[in-house]
Amino acid sequence: SSGINAEWPLRPGGPPGSGKGTVSSRIVKKFSLNHISSGDILRHHISGNTELGLEAKKFTSSGLLVPDNLVTKVVLAELKSIGEKSWLLDGYPRTVSQAEELDRNYNVDMVLNLDVPFETITDRISKRWIHPGSGRTYNLDFNAPNIEGKDDITGEDLVQREDDKPESVQNRLELYSNMTKPLLDYYSDQDKVISFSGTETNVIWPLVQKYLEEKTEA
């Protein structure tokens, strides 16, 4: 089955640092959807040494990306296992070929696109510092350490991950943009993309919530 009432398949999209993870978790909680994260499912298969996990491990152990068709197998197996329940896809599909394969098996009702300015994301991520020993994370804007550059508990130095440095963030965003445009075009051609613009999750979330509430009442 498909459609809003019986099954609610949707996919949120947004660049790294756009708040996609937070919005996804709020949607799942508020609307009682099954959260299907391709990354989480792959890790579960790999740690459980399942047939699909062993296949994926051949690539991950060599530092390679898991191929499209294998990720698709993993996601489709998960969708099959939850039956007629409503779901939200996170991190999949990433390519048009994955989207086409998904369409052959399931119907995605809508794609939520979080449209956050790249400058906002670069600024947000580049203010993130971590304490390597514990993994504690600080943000210079809204969760700054008591003493600049030092962990609150141990007093040890904080570091910035290579990935969080402005030039790295910019590169990741450009890569994301190049990868995602064909996918957004694919779903836009089907009139399934709904974009929500803003600079903060707390601004975007009420818009997403209102839209989804109206869809469920329709």
Side-chain angles (χ1 to χ4, degrees), residues 11-22 90 94 113-126 128 161 163-164 168-180 199 201:
R11 181 195 186 276
S18 65
K20 178 171 69 70
T22 305
D90 186 354
R94 288 182 182 272
N113 181 45
L114 307 188
D115 183 16
V116 180
F118 279 6
E119 311 83 78
T120 301
I121 295 171
T122 304
D123 187 53
R124 184 185 299 160
I125 295 179
S126 60
R128 189 161 62 190
R161 291 169 53 221
D163 271 1
D164 291 346
S168 296
V169 177
Q170 203 60 40
N171 289 339
R172 276 160 64 205
L173 290 173
E174 282 170 18
L175 183 66
Y176 168 84
S177 189
N178 293 337
M179 274 181 65
T180 308
T199 55
T201 304

Side-chain angles (χ1 to χ4, degrees), residues 47-215:
S47 64
N49 287 318
T50 66
E51 190 181 336
L52 288 170
L54 291 170
E55 215 177 319
K57 200 181 277 187
K58 290 176 194 170
F59 299 93
T60 57
S61 60
S62 307
L64 300 171
L65 287 173
V66 179
D68 270 12
N69 62 335
L70 186 50
V71 178
T72 295
K73 268 189 203 174
V74 168
V75 172
L76 291 181
E78 187 69 17
L79 286 172
K80 188 177 179 184
S81 76
I82 65 168
E84 293 297 304
K85 294 174 185 169
S86 306
W87 42 266
L88 174 144
L89 282 178
D90 186 354
Y92 179 93
R94 288 182 182 272
T95 64
V96 171
S97 63
Q98 286 181 338
E100 288 171 341
E101 187 59 33
L102 180 64
D103 276 353
R104 280 192 277 273
N105 293 273
Y106 293 93
N107 177 52
V108 172
D109 279 341
M110 62 189 90
V111 175
L112 307 183
N113 181 45
L114 307 188
D115 183 16
V116 180
F118 279 6
E119 311 83 78
T120 301
I121 295 171
T122 304
D123 187 53
R124 184 185 299 160
I125 295 179
S126 60
K127 288 182 178 172
R128 189 161 62 190
W129 290 75
I130 62 166
H131 174 242
S134 65
R136 272 186 292 279
T137 303
Y138 297 87
N139 185 288
L140 301 185
D141 275 346
F142 52 82
N143 179 33
N146 295 327
I147 299 167
E148 188 179 343
K150 302 290 182 185
D151 178 50
D152 285 353
I153 294 173
T154 64
E156 293 168 352
D157 286 344
L158 299 177
V159 300
Q160 190 170 42
R161 291 169 53 221
E162 281 300 320
D163 271 1
D164 291 346
K165 292 180 177 173
E167 56 277 16
S168 296
V169 177
Q170 203 60 40
N171 289 339
R172 276 160 64 205
L173 290 173
E174 282 170 18
L175 183 66
Y176 168 84
S177 189
N178 293 337
M179 274 181 65
T180 308
K181 189 180 181 308
L183 194 60
L184 279 176
D185 288 346
Y186 174 81
Y187 282 118
S188 293
D189 289 344
Q190 300 178 31
D191 289 327
K192 289 184 177 178
V193 177
I194 304 96
S195 290
F196 300 91
S197 301
T199 55
E200 297 172 39
T201 304
N202 288 339
V203 172
I204 289 178
W205 166 242
L207 304 174
V208 173
Q209 183 179 350
K210 182 172 182 287
Y211 175 82
L212 294 179
E213 281 173 348
E214 287 170 358
K215 291 293 282 186

